[in-house]
Amino acid sequence: MYEGFSMAGKNALITGGTRGIGLAIAKGFLQSGANVTVASRKQENVDAAVSELGNPDQVLGVAAHVGKEEHRDRLIAAAEDRFGGIDVLVNNAGTNPFYGNIADSEKWAWDKTLDLNLTVPYVLSIALGNKMMANGGGSILNIASVAGLRASTNQGIYSVTKCALVMLTKVLARDMGHGGVRANAILPGLIKTELSRALWEDEDTLARVVKSAAAGRIGHIDELIGAAVFLSSEAGSYTSGAVIQVDGGMVI
Ligand SMILES: NC(=O)c1ccc[n+]([C@@H]2O[C@H](COP(=O)([O-])OP(=O)(O)OC[C@H]3O[C@@H](n4cnc5c(N)ncnc54)[C@H](OP(=O)(O)O)[C@@H]3O)[C@@H](O)[C@H]2O)c1
């Protein structure tokens, strides 16, 4: 195996790392040698993820709502206490509480989606990015979406947040590059998870997505691991501000 993909000695923090895409990335990082902290709101999800990941010497699970400042502070302190610091941040936790025409949406949905999908990645990136720069560098990986590239049907507010998350990624890459911090984004297509259930359970939507992807199918969570390891390891040392679509080839 090419040594650049090794994550030995790296300490990663993955928000929403107890299920779906975040848990798959946690498994990939762990297999690549990293120490991994996974965080999500529900203790039972954290316990299940920690048990599934195994390797207790390299894994920490923390129950934390990353939208709450005191939870974020506790999460960061726990990861630093356990592993001595964080040099890989994956802003993965996301939400899409309103599915429908934006004309019918209410401000609570706007506020909630912007907070978790955009404000939380911003505050975590500033808090941990500054520490990474003080320690000689690190990597920030934002899980955006192909929904950020177009005004996706029934996902208007979500599209706005993911589009802005791509720009946040580029701004972080530009402004933290001098400190050795790289920032990149992965844009998944439709991946079968709890979050996307409304999409893949709807026959018309599923058929439309399958038709639009060159692969002719939707994706599996494990298919995000390769890009995440590349961007977060030395293999990606000259890659920053990059936006990688992992969408089965949605070229239309
Ligand atoms: N699935 C797709 O098709 C797709 C496509 C494009 C982009 N994405 C993006 O990929 C990311 C992961 O999505 P997914 O599909 O893997 O979702 P998922 O299977 O629903 O998993 C979401 C994870 O985030 C945690 N979480 C939710 N709210 C949280 C909060 N406030 N604080 C901390 N943790 C929280 C959940 O655990 P708890 O319930 O315990 O908090 C869970 O571990 C999201 O940013 C999503 O927008 C997904």
Side-chain angles (χ1 to χ4, degrees), residues 14-23 39-46 64-68 91-96 116-117 120 143-147 155 158 162 165 186-197 199-200 219 221:
I14 305 171
T15 67
T18 65
R19 195 174 67 212
I21 292 169
L23 180 59
S40 81
R41 292 163 301 178
K42 299 179 191 113
Q43 187 68 54
E44 66 265 31
N45 291 348
V46 173
H65 184 319
V66 291
K68 296 184 176 173
N91 286 310
N92 167 75
T95 189
N96 190 12
L116 188 59
N117 294 8
V120 167
I143 308 301
S145 170
V146 292
Q155 301 187 80
Y158 181 78
K162 294 300 188 177
L165 184 58
I186 292 178
L187 276 56
L190 180 52
I191 312 296
K192 195 170 187 178
T193 67
E194 276 306 305
L195 184 74
S196 61
R197 181 176 284 279
L199 300 176
W200 53 261
I221 51 173

Side-chain angles (χ1 to χ4, degrees), residues 25-214:
I25 292 174
K27 283 183 190 167
F29 281 6
L30 197 56
Q31 283 173 23
S32 302
N35 297 316
V36 178
T37 299
V38 291
S40 81
R41 292 163 301 178
K42 299 179 191 113
Q43 187 68 54
E44 66 265 31
N45 291 348
V46 173
D47 292 344
V50 166
S51 146
E52 188 172 337
L53 289 167
N55 297 282
D57 292 349
Q58 284 174 254
V59 173
L60 173 67
V62 180
H65 184 319
V66 291
K68 296 184 176 173
E69 187 177 359
E70 62 275 26
H71 287 216
R72 286 194 299 270
D73 291 347
R74 185 167 46 71
L75 167 63
I76 292 171
E80 289 176 340
D81 188 44
R82 176 69 184 276
F83 297 120
I86 297 160
D87 41 28
V88 174
L89 167 65
V90 182
N91 286 310
N92 167 75
T95 189
N96 190 12
F98 177 76
Y99 186 70
N101 189 308
I102 199 167
D104 301 322
S105 68
E106 294 176 11
K107 188 169 173 293
W108 68 264
W110 175 267
D111 290 341
K112 186 175 177 186
T113 315
L114 251 81
D115 191 48
L116 188 59
N117 294 8
L118 188 61
T119 305
V120 167
Y122 161 74
V123 290
L124 283 175
S125 297
I126 300 309
L128 293 176
N130 275 302
K131 291 187 182 189
M132 290 177 197
M133 288 197 287
N135 291 330
S139 159
I140 297 169
L141 176 58
N142 292 323
I143 308 301
S145 170
V146 292
L149 299 176
R150 59 186 74 94
S152 290
T153 311
N154 291 328
Q155 301 187 80
I157 298 172
Y158 181 78
S159 286
V160 170
T161 65
K162 294 300 188 177
C163 181
L165 184 58
V166 168
M167 185 49 69
L168 174 64
T169 305
K170 291 172 186 271
V171 170
L172 291 169
R174 171 160 296 281
D175 287 356
M176 292 188 173
H178 67 91
V181 173
R182 298 180 297 106
N184 294 289
I186 292 178
L187 276 56
L190 180 52
I191 312 296
K192 195 170 187 178
T193 67
E194 276 306 305
L195 184 74
S196 61
R197 181 176 284 279
L199 300 176
W200 53 261
E201 275 193 347
D202 180 78
E203 280 182 20
D204 292 341
T205 305
L206 179 64
R208 185 167 42 78
V209 174
V210 165
K211 195 175 170 200
S212 71

Side-chain angles (χ1 to χ4, degrees), residues 211-230:
K211 195 175 170 200
S212 71
R217 60 175 177 83
I218 66 171
H220 187 275
I221 51 173
D222 289 351
E223 294 178 300
L224 278 302
I225 296 173
V229 171
F230 160 60

